Amino acid sequence: MPDTADSDAFIAGLPKAELHLHIEGSLEPEQMFAFARRNRIQIPFASVEQLRAAYSFTQLQDFLDIYYQGADVLRTEEDFHDLALAYFTRAHADGVVHAEIFFDPQTHTDRGLPFGVAADGLLAGMKTAEERFGITSKLILCFLRHLDEAAAFATLQAAEPWLDRIAAVGLDSSEVGHPPEKFARVFAAAGAAGLKRVAHAGEEGPPAYVLEALDLLHIDRLDHGNRALESPELVTRLARSGIALTVCPLSNLKLCVVGDVAQHPIPAMLKHGLRATINSDDPAYFGGYVADNYRAVAPYLDRRDLVTLARNSFLGSFLPDDAVTRHLAAVDAFAA
Ligand code: HPA
Ligand code: ZN
């Protein structure tokens, strides 16, 4: 790579889409305290510093425990609107022109909020962001895989009045012990309702979970997918299919999916011809937004790879073809 300042500016300026972002994971400690104050809720941390100090994880579950606890400060549509707008403000500064964001409705309905509080608040925040920054976005409803199939079906039913404003269903939370197969029927129902399908697989779970996500959930995009690299047959299949992988370097480091950034699989994924993309996952918890994630792996890539990653983000999006073509032209113009 050329020098760091030059590379930083190139990364921030590169037009890009973000395809793997849990909006609840963009809740910054300062904002958590502000929402707690506004909603008159006690949180079990004395200061922002003490809260940040708790963000030390050795596996996915350590993070999930604190992430679900943090989400409890979100109580009103205004909270969700403000949460989304704060994310889009940071994403805009990082060159994001389109984002497809996850939300976890069960985290909110299970503590008594009606489905529409999160959904309407987020949709309002997405609209404000488009008016203010020109960023387009789509909303993805994630089922929590540690809960059962009936709960996922109940969530899909609760979402019925909003399905024209929801692009896809996803699958997140504790992966190991909760294989994709558990949700085959609810994913089939979502597909029949016209929704796209994505799933977290191969973050901590084995390559067999990636296969199940492909064959039983019929996913249109694979979230993480790191452990697919353990199976040469799977790598060949993923490369041939052109399916996008939404990879999250800083998340992988924080959750110890990868021991060292020098071992991060992004360069190998590109070498194998996989349609890999770079994303931030839960930026408030993992130490960086999308440009920081590009910067983390940039020392192991050349400038052409960075352009490929940005192009992949649009090719892997659920945007219509004409919009994809327009964004690809903008990437190429920037790179030239
Ligand atoms: N993995 C699984 N579930 C999640 C994640 C993740 O990285 N972030 C938020 N929910
Ligand atoms: Zn994720």
Side-chain angles (χ1 to χ4, degrees):
M1 284 299 299
D3 72 74
T4 311
D6 189 35
S7 157
D8 274 0
F10 183 80
I11 286 169
L14 197 54
K16 57 183 80 63
E18 177 150 53
L19 305 179
H20 187 149
L21 177 281
H22 301 265
I23 196 66
E24 295 90 345
S26 72
L27 178 61
E28 291 287 344
E30 292 78 5
Q31 202 174 26
M32 202 185 291
F33 275 91
F35 288 157
R37 220 174 301 121
R38 175 156 106 182
N39 294 324
R40 300 174 206 288
I41 302 162
Q42 291 290 335
I43 52 176
F45 294 95
S47 65
V48 163
E49 292 68 34
Q50 199 188 71
L51 183 53
R52 271 193 210 284
Y55 294 175
S56 167
F57 316 116
T58 58
Q59 55 179 343
L60 174 60
Q61 194 61 50
D62 298 343
F63 153 70
L64 291 172
D65 293 342
I66 203 160
Y67 159 84
Y68 294 131
Q69 185 184 29
D72 186 45
V73 301
L74 300 165
R75 298 288 172 96
T76 65
E77 272 186 46
E78 186 188 12
D79 295 340
F80 285 93
H81 169 278
D82 294 354
L83 178 70
L85 189 57
Y87 160 70
F88 285 112
T89 303
R90 289 172 182 266
H92 175 63
D94 276 0
V96 172
V97 294
H98 177 72
E100 300 185 358
I101 67 172
F102 299 128
F103 79 124
D104 286 339
Q106 288 158 295
T107 298
H108 313 303
T109 54
D110 284 3
R111 54 194 177 86
L113 297 188
F115 185 92
V117 170
D120 287 336
L122 294 173
L123 289 162
M126 292 159 68
K127 181 164 178 280
T128 305
E130 183 159 5
E131 289 161 0
R132 197 170 292 182
F133 305 119
I135 300 187
T136 56
S137 58
K138 293 181 185 288
L139 189 57
I140 302 175
L141 179 170
C142 276
F143 301 116
L144 297 180
R145 69 201 305 157
H146 67 274
L147 302 178
D148 63 19
E149 183 198 37
F153 265 113
T155 302
L156 187 59
Q157 189 171 23
E160 239 282 311
W162 284 270
L163 289 188
D164 57 333
R165 284 152 288 164
I166 291 174
V169 292
L171 187 63
D172 66 2
S173 190
S174 323
E175 185 181 5
V176 174
H178 302 285
E181 185 259 326
K182 186 174 157 186
F183 298 95
R185 291 188 296 193
V186 72
F187 266 60
L195 299 175
K196 298 279 192 189
R197 289 166 281 193
V198 303
H200 285 53
E203 180 184 20
E204 288 187 343
Y209 283 23
V210 176
L211 266 180
E212 283 188 20
L214 292 168
D215 291 333
L216 304 180
L217 303 188
H218 304 286
I219 52 169
D220 298 288
R221 194 159 73 206
L222 172 59
D223 296 317
H224 294 296
N226 299 49
R227 291 195 60 193
L229 294 189
E230 294 169 26
S231 162
E233 301 77 30
L234 192 48
V235 169
T236 303
R237 177 171 170 187
L238 292 170
R240 287 211 179 120
S241 72
I243 193 171
L245 279 70
T246 64
V247 184
C248 308
L250 291 175
S251 165
N252 293 160
L253 288 170
K254 269 287 204 182
L255 300 183
C256 307
V257 167
V258 167
D260 185 281
V261 69
Q263 260 90 57
H264 196 275
I266 274 286
M269 287 172 168
L270 293 179
K271 191 133 45 70
H272 289 304
L274 300 181
R275 187 167 280 169
T277 65
I278 298 274
N279 308 272
S280 68
D281 209 2
D282 300 281
Y285 293 88
F286 300 150
Y289 286 76
V290 70
D292 293 320
N293 279 271
Y294 276 77
R295 286 183 196 114
V297 290
Y300 310 95
L301 301 171
D302 62 28
R303 193 155 274 195
R304 228 183 26 231
D305 295 325
L306 297 175
V307 172
T308 298
L309 289 163
R311 289 178 57 87
N312 286 352
S313 73
F314 296 110
L315 291 166
S317 75
F318 296 141
L319 284 167
D321 290 347
D322 59 333
V324 172
T325 303
R326 190 161 38 77
H327 287 301
L328 292 178
V331 173
D332 292 343
F334 178 82

